[in-house]
Amino acid sequence: MIVAVPGSKSVTARALFLAAAAGGESVLRRPLLSDDTDGFAAGLAALGYGVDRTDPDAWRITGSPAGPPAPAADVQCRDAGTAARFLPALAAAGHRGTYRFDASAQMRRRPVAPLTGALLALGVDLMHDGEAGRLPLTVRAAGIKGGDVELDASLSSQFLTALLMTGPLTAEGLRIRVTGIVSVPYVEITLAMMRGFGVEVTREGDTFVVPPGGYRPADYAVEPDASAASYVFAAAALAGRTATVPGLGRGALQGDLRFVEVLRRMGAEVEIGPDATTVTGTGRLAGVTVNMRDISDTMPTLAAIAPFADGPVRIEDVYNTRVKECDRLEACAQNLRAQGVTVETGPDWIEIHPGTPAPVEIACHGDHRMAMSFAVAGLRTPGTTFDDPSCVKKTFPDFHEFFARLRADWGV
Ligand SMILES: O=C(O)C1=C[C@@H](OP(=O)(O)O)[C@@H](O)[C@H](O)C1
Ligand SMILES: C=C(OP(=O)(O)O)C(=O)O
């Protein structure tokens, strides 16, 4: 069965940034329509960029290479790591204006200090209005000269993406020496998309060299969201059905498509074609030990279906899942234990033992991935409910309707 999923959150956010930074009009085809990307686009509009979303399938963005056209703005980044990390960096490269950035209670708790530290080191006038190293913060833009800067991106690759995308807007370009990094495939998305808007970043060992000179506008097609597709693939594997997700094939930008390799190791049949990926469940899921450092947004997907494997599932090297929409390692463990499943966790790992999960109300902690992951596992645990089903709006507003249709089509 062909199962289309919405556009990628990560690609939509980057395309919005790059289009705003480019001179002229860019078109974003099939962008993701969700709270994160709505907040990002609304943030750009508040900063004065031209944002025309009349056609939901073709957003038109009028860029401003000199920086935000508005002299002042209050930007609400909501619950989005992308907006909270990318937009202050974009604004900082402007040449005049005062911009304040705030976010949800959880996003206020999530780290931004390595990024704001790098911006301060580059001479940006930036003030944390509350707790040091967190949102809210205020940027007084006066242009960035550029040059050498060090960055620790071991808590979030979004710090590096923000600096990379800002590089071409500086007078001399940036040489970013990276002292630690996580979620590496997201940096590859950034570099590929910067190329799509006319900028070639080069690498010298652990240093990224970003040339000055700005971006050119583009007509950009957003690929489907690979993290969202993980729910479809996991459901196929669990229900013994076949799902083909179009638009995500061998050339896909997103590392999260590699989740299907985990399902393959667990016994599912997987075919990655030139422009689509197909997963067929075989009725069996084997236990597995897997390092998910590169694809940690799919950790909850795997954790939720793990009890149905015939051996332990151990997920390693995912410490950064503790600083996402919630502490995902503990939230997964808490929900699985509530279902009666045996679970152990460590600082950066979780191990889940085979079991028969009991139907409970899942504690979502406001985290879209908690709701979507346990909805998939609910295929085999009828009676599962959620304390906050609408939290899926962050990246997949009609997930529950979508999933109910999929179940009806599969007869499961
Ligand atoms: O750059 C991006 O679009 C993202 C990077 C990843 O975050 P970290 O780099 O913080 O792990 C990922 O979890 C997030 O959903 C989106
Ligand atoms: C971690 C996530 O989002 P972000 O960091 O972009 O808020 C996510 O979507 O799982």
Side-chain angles (χ1 to χ4, degrees), residues 81-248:
T82 45
R85 275 77 176 253
F86 302 170
L87 290 177
L90 175 68
H95 288 83
R96 49 160 193 112
T98 302
Y99 310 107
R100 186 165 191 272
F101 298 88
D102 204 349
S104 68
Q106 174 60 11
M107 192 60 236
R108 278 182 167 199
R109 284 189 283 270
R110 296 176 64 189
V112 293
L115 171 63
T116 54
L119 291 171
L120 286 165
L122 286 166
V124 172
D125 180 350
L126 182 153
M127 252 182 42
H128 293 281
D129 300 332
E131 213 182 303
R134 316 240 176 242
L135 264 61
L137 56 85
T138 299
V139 171
R140 281 192 195 82
I144 302 177
K145 180 165 174 278
D148 289 282
V149 68
E150 272 199 6
L151 181 75
D152 180 359
S154 56
L155 273 183
S156 172
S157 69
Q158 291 175 348
F159 309 146
L160 178 55
T161 287
L163 276 190
L164 284 166
M165 293 197 298
T166 302
L169 305 176
T170 65
E172 296 175 1
L174 289 178
R175 293 175 53 87
I176 309 163
R177 195 172 86 77
V178 176
T179 57
I181 184 71
V182 70
S183 300
V184 169
Y186 288 93
V187 179
E188 302 299 337
I189 301 177
T190 305
L191 299 179
M193 290 190 62
M194 286 174 70
R195 205 171 297 129
F197 284 77
V199 172
E200 191 69 46
V201 176
T202 53
R203 284 188 233 197
E204 295 168 8
D206 50 14
T207 300
F208 290 79
V209 182
V210 192
Y215 294 100
R216 59 169 152 70
D219 190 317
Y220 197 91
V222 175
E223 70 183 29
D225 194 289
S227 323
S230 78
Y231 308 114
V232 175
F233 295 136
L238 197 61
R241 295 292 190 273
T242 295
T244 297
V245 177
L248 287 173

Side-chain angles (χ1 to χ4, degrees), residues 316-390:
E316 297 181 335
D317 212 0
V318 285
Y319 63 87
N320 69 326
T321 61
R322 291 189 182 276
V323 292
K324 302 282 182 169
E325 285 77 326
C326 68
D327 178 341
R328 287 181 171 159
L329 272 183
E330 293 313 321
C332 284
Q334 175 204 3
N335 282 308
L336 288 162
R337 285 184 186 125
Q339 292 178 316
V341 175
T342 303
V343 184
E344 292 137 63
T345 58
D348 66 348
W349 57 268
I350 183 167
E351 185 164 330
I352 301 134
H353 293 264
T356 307
V360 300
E361 181 179 86
I362 298 298
C364 295
H365 298 273
D367 184 347
H368 55 141
R369 302 213 184 280
M370 222 43 61
M372 295 191 281
S373 301
F374 281 91
V376 171
L379 280 171
R380 297 270 287 269
T381 310
T384 300
T385 58
F386 302 92
D387 66 351
D388 177 17
S390 68

